[in-house]
Amino acid sequence: YEGPATLVSVLRRCRGLLCLSLELGSLNDEVCCFIGNNKKLQQLNLCMASGLSAEGLKAILDGCRKLEQLNLSWTELSRPAVTQLCRFLPETIQSLNLAGMKGAGLEKQDARALSRCAPRLRELDISDASNLCRDALDFLLGSGRLSVLHASR
């Protein structure tokens, strides 16, 4: 497809999606708002998507409160986006993929916020997350809730 405009024209018609995959998609805040209109969305794959801002991510997280699986691998999240993610992730989330998180990284305060807002989180992928703070990992593992951890490379 030809960028965010095409996604907007498709997603503006979709309000009852349960699963959505936009791998390698070109996003903007408007696209994210339309994703957020899918209140029943349970699975969202944004692997390698570009253009995901903190505001766009917040629109998704505010709207999609039934998310169980979220793949944000290789999306180059900014520090504000990581903060939004960890503070506003729905409590229904069970699986979170943050593989390839290179820039902003996950810090201890992020891990604390994530642990509070996502008590059902059981599966975490932090493979190739080179900027992961050791204190954050210790905190997440210390919660005893994770049953699956991917931490390759």
Side-chain angles (χ1 to χ4, degrees), residues 74-96:
W74 302 97
T75 54
E76 299 182 17
L77 295 176
S78 66
R79 162 72 7 225
V82 170
T83 300
Q84 296 285 26
L85 172 69
C86 294
R87 289 182 60 213
F88 299 107
L89 198 64
E91 67 177 16
T92 54
I93 203 78
Q94 296 173 28
S95 176
L96 179 62

Side-chain angles (χ1 to χ4, degrees), residues 36-98:
N37 286 339
N38 287 275
K39 307 294 183 199
K40 297 178 183 178
L41 197 64
Q42 296 172 356
Q43 297 177 15
L44 178 58
N45 178 10
L46 297 178
C47 177
M48 295 185 283
S50 61
L52 183 60
S53 71
E55 296 79 18
L57 184 57
K58 177 92 166 50
I60 292 170
L61 297 176
D62 282 348
C64 302
R65 301 306 298 169
K66 296 187 184 232
L67 272 180
E68 296 175 1
Q69 297 177 13
L70 179 59
N71 185 343
L72 295 173
S73 61
W74 302 97
T75 54
E76 299 182 17
L77 295 176
S78 66
R79 162 72 7 225
V82 170
T83 300
Q84 296 285 26
L85 172 69
C86 294
R87 289 182 60 213
F88 299 107
L89 198 64
E91 67 177 16
T92 54
I93 203 78
Q94 296 173 28
S95 176
L96 179 62
N97 188 334
L98 298 175

Side-chain angles (χ1 to χ4, degrees), residues 72-135:
L72 295 173
S73 61
W74 302 97
T75 54
E76 299 182 17
L77 295 176
S78 66
R79 162 72 7 225
V82 170
T83 300
Q84 296 285 26
L85 172 69
C86 294
R87 289 182 60 213
F88 299 107
L89 198 64
E91 67 177 16
T92 54
I93 203 78
Q94 296 173 28
S95 176
L96 179 62
N97 188 334
L98 298 175
M101 182 185 277
K102 300 268 187 211
L106 196 65
E107 298 175 1
K108 188 172 184 176
Q109 69 268 18
D110 300 323
R112 275 196 192 118
L114 186 61
S115 185
R116 276 192 304 272
C117 72
R120 296 180 184 146
L121 183 63
R122 299 294 179 262
E123 181 176 356
L124 179 64
D125 189 337
I126 51 168
S127 299
D128 294 308
S130 59
N131 260 354
L132 182 68
C133 171
R134 181 179 175 172
D135 287 342

